[in-house]
Amino acid sequence: MINNKITKSVAVLICMMILTGSLAACDGSSKTETSSGTTTSEVTVEVTTTETEETEETSSSEEDTLSDEEPEENAFDLGPDFVSTNGELEGMDEYMILCSEDDWSRPSMITDLNDIEDEDLRELAQSYEDEGYTIIDRLSPQNYGDYEYTFCRGFSGQMIDDGTMKEISVWKMNETLFNYFVLGRGVWWNDDEGSYSDDGTVIKRYREFESAENHNYACFEFNRDTGIMTFYCEDTNEDNWQLLFVNETIHGDEDINAVLAACYVLGYQIMPRDIGDDEWIDYEWEGEEYQLMVGFEALYVDDGVCITIRVFKMDEDCFENAVVGRFSIGSPDFEVVDDGTVIRYIDVEYGGGYVYEYNRDTGVAIIYNPWFDNVGDDVDPDMIVEGLDEIHNC
């Protein structure tokens, strides 16, 4: 089941990328310079190495002690090199909680800043909102901690400003926690890179990267007077963006944006590639030329369901030939549902399926692909279209 699922998903993803003209060479150097969620694996690797090196000589006795203790009920198995703080660092009981107690299933927009109980944080959030940031209750790649404990008093924000993604992440803590979790784990670049400063009040650890195509700046700072840690990043490389909000600046086409906004409300992760491309793109398939407008792609993963969605705009001839025709590899036995306005080609597969949908009134075409864990052959068309209906009814 797993191999078939992965093979089909990869094949369709490649076809999708070809269809939108977005299959391009990967610039590995630029990938390593980002501070967004795409570097999570890099951070984990560096943190593990750093933690091992720094604690090898100084905490061997602590490791021996910890290994003799019974594991806590909420303890995580994070590998043999992981050393738990056991919640014993100064201030952890005030500023942090166990990850298992974190009930934020996914980031959400804070529409009423009065929901932020801490007065200092609320005032800061207002100042960032005034600058144009969308305030978010969390930005998961920048929640900080050690995957056992996480900070719980703070907020994050995003904005796009003249082709630059700007992100902030603000958390209350003390200097001990800042040194251990942020400087010791959150900084992903090498010790000999970037800069460090301390004026007695504010500690800063920052780095700037410039190339011919892109600009990236990241800074971690801690204010001893306020007890607030602020992470700030700006990045011009769209391949590194992880958009967690939607507003009218994301895509100029109102029909595409309506679907995009619904996906966001339902908890989809809006992927950066192709968003905001309002130009009609020439596309050739089987010797014929077509035009389509790239919309966006999104991902939803929750409770045994994984859904990918791609949205475009085109005419019906392009949809029938360049979309349905292209993806009907192997001539699947489609169920066709057509109410005169919306036509759907439904392909039920082992563990999931595909829906190719076209709206004749708006010209919006959707490729919708849900997969269900532990379902096997017990998939019917109603399961396949349920989530798509939810998007339209949102």
Side-chain angles (χ1 to χ4, degrees):
M1 170 183 173
I2 295 176
N3 289 338
N4 291 338
K5 175 178 174 180
I6 293 175
T7 301
K8 181 63 182 288
S9 298
V10 171
V12 171
L13 177 60
I14 293 173
C15 290
M16 289 177 181
M17 296 171 71
I18 294 173
L19 175 63
T20 60
S22 58
L23 187 60
C26 179
D27 181 358
S29 60
S30 65
K31 295 285 186 186
T32 60
E33 301 300 337
T34 177
S35 63
S36 62
T38 55
T39 61
T40 302
S41 60
E42 294 176 345
V43 175
T44 304
V45 173
E46 290 188 9
V47 165
T48 302
T49 303
T50 303
E51 183 67 14
T52 303
E53 292 173 353
E54 291 179 351
T55 60
E56 184 175 2
E57 297 181 359
T58 61
S59 63
S60 58
S61 60
E62 180 184 1
E63 289 179 4
D64 293 338
T65 302
L66 292 172
S67 63
D68 293 333
E69 295 178 357
E70 291 294 326
E72 295 184 9
E73 180 181 353
N74 292 314
F76 291 79
D77 182 9
L78 297 174
D81 295 327
F82 179 77
V83 179
S84 173
T85 62
N86 291 318
E88 295 175 356
L89 293 179
E90 177 192 359
M92 289 184 72
D93 57 342
E94 181 179 1
Y95 300 111
M96 305 186 78
I97 59 175
L98 281 164
C99 293
S100 60
E101 298 173 358
D102 184 350
D103 60 358
W104 290 332
S105 59
R106 52 181 172 263
S108 63
M109 191 183 303
I110 300 178
T111 56
D112 185 355
L113 297 185
N114 289 320
D115 292 339
I116 301 176
E117 296 180 2
D118 187 286
E119 183 177 355
D120 296 332
L121 294 174
R122 187 167 61 250
E123 290 180 0
L124 267 178
Q126 184 64 63
S127 68
Y128 282 114
E129 186 176 74
D130 292 343
E131 288 183 39
Y133 282 86
T134 296
I135 305 303
I136 305 166
D137 62 7
R138 77 181 261 175
L139 199 56
S140 52
Q142 297 166 7
N143 211 31
Y144 305 109
D146 61 1
Y147 304 104
E148 183 180 18
Y149 289 89
T150 182
F151 288 95
C152 58
R153 296 172 59 184
F155 65 89
S156 299
Q158 289 184 321
M159 69 179 294
I160 298 176
D161 182 17
D162 193 25
T164 299
M165 165 70 84
K166 296 181 178 180
E167 297 180 352
I168 49 97
S169 194
V170 180
W171 299 91
K172 271 205 167 178
M173 60 185 68
N174 59 29
E175 189 170 351
T176 298
L177 301 179
F178 174 75
N179 289 333
Y180 186 85
F181 289 104
V182 179
L183 293 187
R185 296 174 178 272
V187 178
W188 64 87
W189 56 86
N190 297 328
D191 291 342
D192 58 352
E193 296 180 294
S195 301
Y196 175 90
S197 67
D198 184 348
D199 64 8
T201 301
V202 177
I203 303 171
K204 287 187 177 183
R205 182 79 169 93
Y206 55 96
R207 187 192 69 166
E208 188 165 15
F209 170 77
E210 292 280 357
S211 69
E213 299 82 13
N214 299 306
H215 165 78
N216 176 282
Y217 174 78
C219 177
F220 299 87
E221 70 173 54
F222 177 74
N223 188 307
R224 293 186 175 96
D225 290 346
T226 64
I228 291 176
M229 188 285 295
T230 303
F231 170 75
Y232 172 76
C233 171
E234 57 183 44
D235 196 341
T236 60
N237 187 351
E238 293 187 18
D239 289 339
N240 298 329
W241 296 358
Q242 278 197 326
L243 297 178
L244 298 175
F245 68 93
V246 173
N247 61 30
E248 66 276 4
T249 67
I250 299 302
H251 205 292
D253 185 271
E254 61 181 8
D255 298 318
I256 290 176
N257 205 54
V259 182
L260 193 153
C263 287
Y264 175 79
V265 169
L266 292 171
Y268 282 76
Q269 179 185 353
I270 311 300
M271 309 300 286
R273 187 175 63 231
D274 305 331
I275 287 182
D277 191 343
D278 301 329
E279 298 295 326
W280 291 95
I281 299 169
D282 292 326
Y283 173 70
E284 184 174 336
W285 170 246
E286 297 288 354
E288 298 292 332
E289 291 189 356
Y290 302 95
Q291 277 193 328
L292 57 85
M293 178 189 288
V294 174
F296 68 96
E297 66 179 72
L299 174 69
Y300 178 86
V301 180
D302 185 50
D303 195 23
V305 180
C306 178
I307 303 171
T308 57
I309 183 172
R310 293 295 302 258
V311 180
F312 314 90
K313 203 163 192 179
M314 61 189 66
D315 63 24
E316 189 168 1
D317 184 55
C318 179
F319 172 74
E320 293 287 348
N321 292 283
V323 176
V324 177
R326 184 178 189 90
F327 293 117
S328 61
I329 301 172
S331 301
D333 185 15
F334 286 128
E335 175 182 342
V336 181
V337 179
D338 189 347
D339 65 6
T341 299
V342 176
I343 184 170
R344 287 175 171 177
Y345 292 84
I346 304 169
D347 175 17
V348 176
E349 294 191 345
Y350 182 87
Y354 292 83
V355 182
Y356 307 98
E357 178 187 275
Y358 184 73
N359 187 308
R360 296 183 177 97
D361 287 348
T362 64
V364 172
I366 296 177
I367 300 175
Y368 177 83
N369 173 212
W371 285 98
F372 309 93
D373 289 347
N374 302 319
V375 171
D377 285 323
D378 299 326
V379 182
D380 60 60
D382 289 340
M383 291 180 64
I384 299 301
V385 302
E386 183 178 2
L388 186 53
D389 289 338
E390 189 177 14
I391 291 172
H392 291 310
N393 294 328
C394 184

